[in-house]
Amino acid sequence: MELKHILPSDIEKESFRIIKQELDIMGKSISEDFEPTVIRAIHTTADFDYADTLVFSDNVIDKAKAAIQNGAHIVTDTNMTLAGINKKTLSRYGGEVHCFMADEDVSMMARQMQVTRAVVSMDKALKIDAPLIFAIGNAPTALIRLRELIDEKKLRPELIIGVPVGFVNVVEAKELILETDIPYIINRGRKGGSTVAAAICNSILYNMT
Amino acid sequence: MELKHILPSDIEKESFRIIKQELDIMGKSISEDFEPTVIRAIHTTADFDYADTLVFSDNVIDKAKAAIQNGAHIVTDTNMTLAGINKKTLSRYGGEVHCFMADEDVSMMARQMQVTRAVVSMDKALKIDAPLIFAIGNAPTALIRLRELIDEKKLRPELIIGVPVGFVNVVEAKELILETDIPYIINRGRKGGSTVAAAICNSILYNMT
């Protein structure tokens, strides 16, 4: 078995080099603005489909960075994404990450209303007194609820990262966000997940300067 | 936009039905023993490649359940997997989940030795006084270190879940575990990740009875 000998600090750099090289070979060119995000999503999944399915609204990276600089908080629908986001970097700008999915009041309300906890979590986020970025890695119902809140003018997020994964209403829920005028980073189709949501957040946080 | 109206409690069931149906259409038949694990990995990624690349040692599911019943602890190399594993179910049998990656002593030792924190974390796991299951979702260096510890007869885990994701030594590290006689669930190739590691653990925990 031939192992590469690479210093721990160089593993990520070498991985990014390999990803860029393979994207080149596949003839996929990605705009400079979006490249760090696409590469980090591929790095996190080893799935090159993300080069084709990630879609970005105009100037979304600049808008996301500005929101973070203005102290935006990130709301996510999964505790795994909460664990994965670089909270230290975010906190430098005054931001925090919130996940309400395991909260007792959310669980109770969801049972009463026969909706998912993700739906109730989106409503709970309205109480946060800061600009908001949503990073949805699991529940299409969260995106569907965000669309309703936006339509009802109860919410105007700085950015929606919409990468839930799955088989029921996932494709459709992403399209509902694409129809809005809210800045977005969406992975079209069924794929996504908590690690992809965290990777997208980190791709922005690691390139803040 | 046509959304399916499905009760929250039925979303997962419906997703599993769709996955099974599509596997059938693709002509992929999966042994009954391994089906819950393969389906949950696909559910977590929307990536049907896992039907082809997940490999299982003989009777590994029964062995994993027996280990959990005997109070096995799970050691993982990512805080996202730690967040994703159903710790309540595991604790019923006396088990706990450990992730040492963010520990100060691990970080210091890794810097001194110029190895990854994942390597040091595997060594730290030797101190746990319980049967051990490893769930590796990120670092191939963790699998390489596990192989060394096994070869040196310092460690004899009940199960290795080897699903790191990535581009540097990932394919090779998985093969190093496949050469041992330790029970394994490995995803061959580059793919895997924290969510897949957690999904595999949960597929066992949710089917304990």
Side-chain angles (χ1 to χ4, degrees):
Chain A
M1 197 72 58
E2 195 68 50
L3 293 171
K4 284 192 186 181
H5 291 285
I6 292 184
L7 282 179
S9 53
D10 291 335
I11 295 174
E12 186 173 287
K13 201 162 61 180
E14 171 64 6
S15 300
F16 281 26
R17 189 193 63 74
I18 295 170
I19 295 167
K20 277 190 201 189
Q21 186 183 49
E22 296 195 17
L23 285 169
D24 269 356
I25 292 170
M26 291 178 206
K28 293 188 195 297
S29 81
I30 292 154
S31 104
E32 206 182 319
D33 253 20
F34 307 143
E35 197 184 62
T37 302
V38 172
I39 287 182
R40 199 165 280 276
I42 295 172
H43 179 249
T44 256
T45 56
D47 189 338
F48 283 83
D49 281 4
Y50 288 96
D52 297 317
T53 51
L54 273 172
V55 291
F56 299 83
S57 63
D58 291 344
N59 301 314
V60 65
I61 303 296
D62 285 344
K63 289 178 186 173
K65 288 178 181 173
I68 290 166
Q69 235 133 13
N70 288 332
H73 287 212
I74 299 176
V75 178
T76 176
D77 66 329
T78 92
N79 277 300
M80 294 186 77
T81 301
L82 174 68
I85 293 174
N86 191 311
K87 287 167 283 288
K88 205 167 146 184
T89 304
L90 184 64
S91 72
R92 261 183 235 147
Y93 305 93
E96 290 173 37
V97 191
H98 306 267
C99 176
F100 303 124
M101 295 294 288
D103 293 5
E104 191 51 47
D105 58 333
V106 167
S107 168
M108 212 170 63
M109 180 80 82
R111 267 196 309 273
Q112 274 175 15
M113 298 176 61
Q114 295 239 44
V115 297
T116 65
R117 287 178 296 148
V119 167
V120 181
S121 293
M122 296 305 104
D123 284 17
K124 188 162 177 174
L126 296 179
K127 294 180 189 161
I128 300 170
D129 187 23
L132 294 180
I133 293 172
F134 288 86
I136 306 302
N138 190 50
T141 52
L143 292 185
I144 296 166
R145 183 60 183 153
L146 287 180
R147 169 67 187 266
E148 288 170 353
L149 292 170
I150 292 161
D151 287 351
E152 293 166 10
K153 313 234 183 270
K154 290 178 181 161
L155 175 70
R156 179 113 200 132
E158 305 300 313
L159 166 64
I160 296 177
I161 297 166
V163 295
V165 57
F167 297 87
V168 176
N169 290 338
V170 168
V171 174
E172 295 79 0
K174 291 167 176 172
E175 297 299 322
L176 283 177
I177 301 301
L178 290 171
E179 292 168 2
T180 70
D181 64 346
I182 303 295
Y184 62 74
I185 301 174
I186 299 278
N187 193 58
R188 273 204 150 116
R190 288 171 162 181
K191 286 183 180 176
S194 305
T195 51
V196 179
I200 291 171
C201 292
N202 289 339
S203 76
I204 298 162
L205 289 167
Y206 293 151
N207 294 285
M208 281 296 291
T209 47
Chain B
M1 196 72 58
E2 194 67 51
L3 294 171
K4 282 191 188 183
H5 292 283
I6 292 185
L7 281 179
S9 53
D10 292 334
I11 295 174
E12 186 173 286
K13 202 162 62 179
E14 171 65 4
S15 300
F16 280 27
R17 190 194 63 74
I18 294 170
I19 295 167
K20 277 191 204 190
Q21 186 183 48
E22 296 196 16
L23 285 169
D24 268 356
I25 292 169
M26 294 178 204
K28 294 188 195 295
S29 81
I30 292 153
S31 102
E32 205 182 319
D33 253 22
F34 307 143
E35 197 185 62
T37 302
V38 171
I39 287 181
R40 198 166 280 276
I42 295 171
H43 179 248
T44 257
T45 56
D47 188 338
F48 283 83
D49 281 4
Y50 288 95
D52 297 316
T53 51
L54 273 172
V55 291
F56 299 83
S57 62
D58 291 343
N59 300 314
V60 65
I61 303 296
D62 285 344
K63 288 177 186 174
K65 288 178 182 172
I68 290 165
Q69 235 134 12
N70 289 330
H73 287 212
I74 299 176
V75 178
T76 176
D77 66 328
T78 93
N79 276 300
M80 293 185 76
T81 302
L82 174 69
I85 293 174
N86 190 310
K87 288 166 282 290
K88 203 167 148 187
T89 304
L90 184 63
S91 71
R92 261 182 235 148
Y93 305 94
E96 290 173 37
V97 191
H98 306 268
C99 177
F100 302 124
M101 295 294 288
D103 293 4
E104 193 50 51
D105 58 333
V106 168
S107 169
M108 213 171 61
M109 180 80 81
R111 266 197 309 272
Q112 274 175 15
M113 299 177 61
Q114 295 238 42
V115 297
T116 65
R117 288 178 295 148
V119 166
V120 181
S121 293
M122 295 304 106
D123 283 19
K124 188 162 177 176
L126 296 178
K127 294 181 190 159
I128 300 169
D129 188 23
L132 294 179
I133 292 172
F134 288 86
I136 307 302
N138 189 50
T141 52
L143 292 185
I144 296 167
R145 184 60 183 154
L146 288 180
R147 169 67 186 266
E148 288 171 351
L149 293 170
I150 291 161
D151 286 350
E152 294 166 9
K153 314 237 182 266
K154 291 178 182 160
L155 176 69
R156 180 113 201 131
E158 306 299 312
L159 166 64
I160 296 177
I161 297 166
V163 296
V165 58
F167 297 87
V168 176
N169 291 337
V170 168
V171 174
E172 296 80 359
K174 290 167 177 173
E175 296 299 322
L176 283 177
I177 301 300
L178 290 171
E179 291 169 2
T180 70
D181 63 347
I182 303 295
Y184 62 73
I185 301 173
I186 300 278
N187 192 58
R188 273 202 151 120
R190 287 170 162 182
K191 286 183 179 175
S194 305
T195 50
V196 179
I200 292 172
C201 291
N202 289 338
S203 76
I204 298 163
L205 289 167
Y206 293 152
N207 293 286
M208 281 296 290
T209 46

